Amino acid sequence: MKSILSYLNRRLTQLGIPYQYGEWTSPVNDPYVIGEYTETEPVEESGEETKTIILTGTTRQAALVLEQISSTLQTAFPPSCGETAILENGAGIAVFYAGSFPVPVDVEGMRRIQINLTVKYWRVI
């Protein structure tokens, strides 16, 4: 998983999206995005693994700022064909935009969005 998270960290930085994994530990940017993931048990004979990257964007600005982040990710990781790469460890990866939705927040003036990316991962054992 470390190689996937490193790849996503590089790509989100290249896209200008303020991102950290797990929790925000730097001085707070506005907006900012925190990532986490879920995994499913590999059931493919080919060795393919599927993971979901969950990106939570937060801002005190207009909700449109978060929608722009979502749009940037949808362009970078198209839902139909994704973005593919070979990682440093030799594994193959394909990342697809899988949708987004607003998340209710109990703090006045704060807005949040969840953006999901699907990751297909193959490695030679």
Side-chain angles (χ1 to χ4, degrees), residues 10-125:
R10 271 193 317 279
R11 284 298 289 130
L12 294 177
T13 298
Q14 291 169 351
L15 294 169
I17 297 173
Y19 164 81
Q20 290 188 7
Y21 174 74
E23 65 179 319
W24 196 266
T25 57
S26 302
V28 176
N29 285 345
D30 190 351
Y32 64 93
V33 175
I34 296 173
E36 32 188 7
Y37 68 91
T38 62
E39 296 180 296
T40 58
E41 182 177 342
V43 294
E44 298 293 324
E45 203 173 286
S46 66
E48 174 187 326
E49 298 176 28
T50 301
K51 299 157 187 330
T52 300
I53 304 296
I54 302 161
L55 302 174
T56 304
T58 303
T59 189
R60 289 192 174 272
Q61 300 176 44
L64 191 57
V65 170
L66 298 175
E67 292 299 333
Q68 182 57 48
I69 290 172
S70 180
S71 178
T72 298
L73 291 169
Q74 188 170 13
T75 300
F77 307 111
S80 58
C81 59
E83 176 179 276
T84 59
I86 301 298
L87 304 177
E88 301 85 18
N89 65 1
I93 187 174
V95 182
F96 304 86
Y97 177 88
S100 68
F101 57 90
V103 176
V105 182
D106 288 338
V107 178
E108 186 175 333
M110 187 172 285
R111 289 155 188 82
R112 194 164 279 153
I113 191 171
Q114 180 176 318
I115 303 164
N116 297 325
L117 302 175
T118 299
V119 175
K120 301 286 185 174
Y121 178 80
W122 298 265
R123 61 186 162 159
V124 177
I125 299 175

